[in-house]
Amino acid sequence: MNLAEQMKYADLVDIPRLQALMERFNEVVGIANAVIDVDGTVIVHAGWQRACTDFHRVNPQSCRLCVESDTSLVESMTRGSPFAVYRCHNGLVDTAARIVVAGKHVANVFTGQFLTAPPDTDFFRSQAQRFGYDEADYLGAIRQVPIVSRERVESITRLYAQLASMMADSGLDRIRQREATRALARLNATLEDTVAARTRALAQANQELSARESLLKQILDTSSVAIFVVDAQGCITQANQRMAEMFGLSLAELVGAEYVSLIHPDERNVGRDKMRALLTSEIAAVDLDRLYWRADQSEFWGHLTGRRLHHADGTMIGLVGVIADINARKLAEQKLQLAANVFSHAREGIMITAPDGCIIDVNEAFTRITGYPRDEVIGRNPSLLASERHDAAYFEAMWQALIGKGHWYGEIWNRRRNGEEYIQLQTVTAVRDPGGNIRHFVALFSDITAQKEHERRLEHIAHYDALTRLPNRVLLADRMQQAMTQAQRRSLRLAVAYLDLDGFKAVNDRHGHELGDQLLINLANSMRQILREGDTLARLGGDEFVAVLGDLSDTVAVEPMLDRLLATVAQPLNAEGCEFRLSASLGVTFYPQSEEVDADQLLRQADQAMYQAKLAGKNRYHVFDAEQDRHVRGHHESLEHIARALAEKEFVLHYQPKVNMRTGKVIGAEALIRWQHPERGLLAPAAFLPVIEDHSLAIQLGEWVIDTALKQMEQWQATGLSLPISVNIGARQLQQAHFVDRLKTLLAAHPDITPDLLELEVLETSALEDMAQASSAIAACCELGVRCALDDFGTGYSSLSYLKQLPVSQLKIDRSFVRDMLDDPDDLAILEGVLGLASAFRRQVIAEGVESLAHGQLLLQLGCELAQGYGIARPMPGNAFANWVAEWRPALTWSNTNPVSRDDQPLLHAIVEHRAFIAAVASYLAGERTQRPALDAQHCRLALWQASDASARHRSNPAFANIATLHHRLHQQAGNVLEQHAKGQVDAQEAGLSALNDLGTSLLAQLEALVHTPLR
């Protein structure tokens, strides 16, 4: 049996191609056709008429007629007829022709469903009636049937059969070839093993090739990757649908496009070079990740594999490429790389643990902070870092937060590998899977030990006295508030003791600040040791201390403590080979009181009581009378009490010296009134003068002051001391109509006192109330020989014309300007302006409020030699004044200080301005002020002075250039420190502030030296 006899027709042909052929013929000739195997299987068909499909073969009766036609034609073919024609009883004509392959009848070609003449309408109408067709629809279908001559149909049908046979012959040839190959393989089976293996490989390759052809078509249609072919010119000749989707183009747009146009513009040149190298066999293949460019100009990552593509004969077709969209993978890789970089390079320590707490991984910062290498901690529990500062409840709360909330944030003390404890700020987060189960814990932490230490130091600076290490005023207020709350809660008493050292200023002035500071340190330590553990001892400044003594059952319980404080201060102190004996005056107040009081009120009460202790002879304590003070605060004392006090001679005068600071000469004294209250002790003017300000008692008391001052001068003169005394004149007294007459009467009562020894100090505000009256009264006083001074100058609103109208001989600079001139450039400017006015109007000037050597020195440099204040002497009783005058010596610093030339006076302003600037920077860094300090290095007083002609005489001095350099560096350093503060660089800020202070010290020292450079 030959191969054709073994095979069916369907095995021999490419059925899709045959179907396509039949459909194309139907389109050309318009005649239905079908190829049917000899066993009756329909292989392909095309163009069947609607008359058959919708009518004849649908109705069972008419379908039998169609079957008869089919059967007749098949029988004709079986009998060997090459061609047969059959007119179906349904009225249409069918034909058939045999398909013969290798001499064997294997199938038939059927054509039909046509007419050889125009349709017989009556016949077909009867057909419709017979079989129940819709007549109109049926006749319409009949009219669509083609009319073809028998001869043409026969030629067409035979042509169909020949083509079908040829296709089968072609298929048979392929089959025969395959069979021949198989036969050849069987013949060569006996050859040696190598030949046999090669033969089998060849047969296998042929089989795989066939399979690949089929598989390739499926892959091209269903693959998730882009597959394409380019020719030798680099143009795309084939592409699959996935490639069109990937690039946002249609297949029509892809085919013919240059491949490199799909590559990202930044990589096109490289892509073109790669493609040329592949085409020219310089490289065998490409396998790389590449950025591609979509039609919408968006980019994506693709993985390209490409090779050369050859024909079977070895000639090159072009290149075949496969592109996989790996954009998601690349993004994931980038995220992973970013995470890895963060993990590796983060400044914070990172620790990852399993749900049971076992450490899985740590980063380099972990090792840097803890000291543990990575391999030492992997697999271990984080408890190896634990210090002993936290109990089990602390960690239990942490775990509860992690399990319940999924995170924990806080500060925790741990221990490094070397055993050192440190504090870290830590965040722990639970990482869960999609099911909500905890997979890992991630801890991020940073070492904040240095920051905490810096905060502690700043807090210490803000709350403790730098010299004695005692709490300062800020911390004292907090401690007092706590003690007051505790006293209320426990129903106990609290005592606040205000302590001021007696005679300390003289020691400080005579032996210098360094020794004075050492004495203060020693005294602070001694007093701290005698207090109980819960008590507070604070330093307010200078030689003033406050003790807060709590848990007292009654007021008597505090007395032993006060005695111990006084005894401790009275102990001899040794320093620099000398023995010093000091004493203290203590003022005490208690809490709670019948009225609600705050901490500030308690301090003021204790301060007032301390002052009473000083007046009572010092080295003692005085208890504040809260009941009496309530009356003072309510009305400062009734007029009746004041009138009775005046009648009973309870008022006294104390005298504050006025001196020439340069020469040391005592030029006079100011009489200051005090009330020697029989129950409350010595009261300051503020306690009673405001009550009588608008009452006639003010005139009576004013005249008593003048008369008493004149008597005091008589007593001094009797001892050989002749000094003028100035008294304060109130507005009501000055403006009375008979003021000058009353003054004459008082002077006449003391004929031994010449009028020029009396000086009247008129408050600037008092003079302004009635300028004409004041000017007239002052002029009249001058005619009597009594001198007049304008007191508290600068605090009122006088104009230059007023100053011109008032015939005063002296201006007194108010203490408020003098007190702050060392640190406030504005106060210094006001002070300089007052001095300038005094010089312009030829008025003598004296400064009040000189409290230190520095105040006096600066006044002398400005040309103001006359002064009074606590830095010289406190007000004292008249009987103590003569002894003070005999012992008084000016500070050597004052004696050696000369006025600064007008050209150099800007240097004084520069010193104060930069001292204030450095203090402002430190205050801003400590959080004590919110406004950022600003001082323009190009427009500050020093820079302006350096650029002016006033500095000409110093420019040859090497210090001049050095000052310019220091000045620039100081402002630059200030800017650096403020920037470090803004960035939160705590350590750098602290070091920068120290450097700024050093530069400030150097600059101020250089400026001081330049100020003292003698004129040439």
Side-chain angles (χ1 to χ4, degrees), residues 164-180:
S165 296
M166 290 172 63
M167 290 182 67
D169 287 339
S170 175
L172 181 61
D173 288 342
R174 287 198 303 274
I175 293 172
R176 283 173 175 168
Q177 181 181 1
R178 187 169 63 231
E179 288 301 316

Side-chain angles (χ1 to χ4, degrees), residues 632-650:
V632 173
R633 286 185 284 108
H635 192 60
H636 294 283
E637 201 58 71
S638 65
L639 292 172
E640 292 79 8
H641 289 170
I642 296 174
R644 185 180 68 247
L646 183 59
E648 296 178 359
K649 300 180 180 181
E650 292 177 0

Side-chain angles (χ1 to χ4, degrees), residues 608-651:
Q608 185 175 337
M610 180 274 295
Y611 190 69
Q612 297 301 321
K614 279 194 178 295
L615 294 176
K618 305 178 182 179
N619 194 25
R620 66 192 64 212
Y621 63 82
H622 183 87
V623 178
F624 178 79
D625 189 338
E627 185 67 26
Q628 288 297 328
D629 182 69
R630 184 163 60 254
H631 292 295
V632 173
R633 286 185 284 108
H635 192 60
H636 294 283
E637 201 58 71
S638 65
L639 292 172
E640 292 79 8
H641 289 170
I642 296 174
R644 185 180 68 247
L646 183 59
E648 296 178 359
K649 300 180 180 181
E650 292 177 0
F651 292 102

Side-chain angles (χ1 to χ4, degrees), residues 117 140 159 172 269 337 419 490 546 567 596 610 699 749 768 788 801 895:
L159 178 60
L172 181 61
N269 290 335
Q337 184 61 45
R490 297 181 179 181
V546 172
E596 186 63 33
M610 180 274 295
I699 298 174
L768 294 178
C788 294
S801 63
S895 300

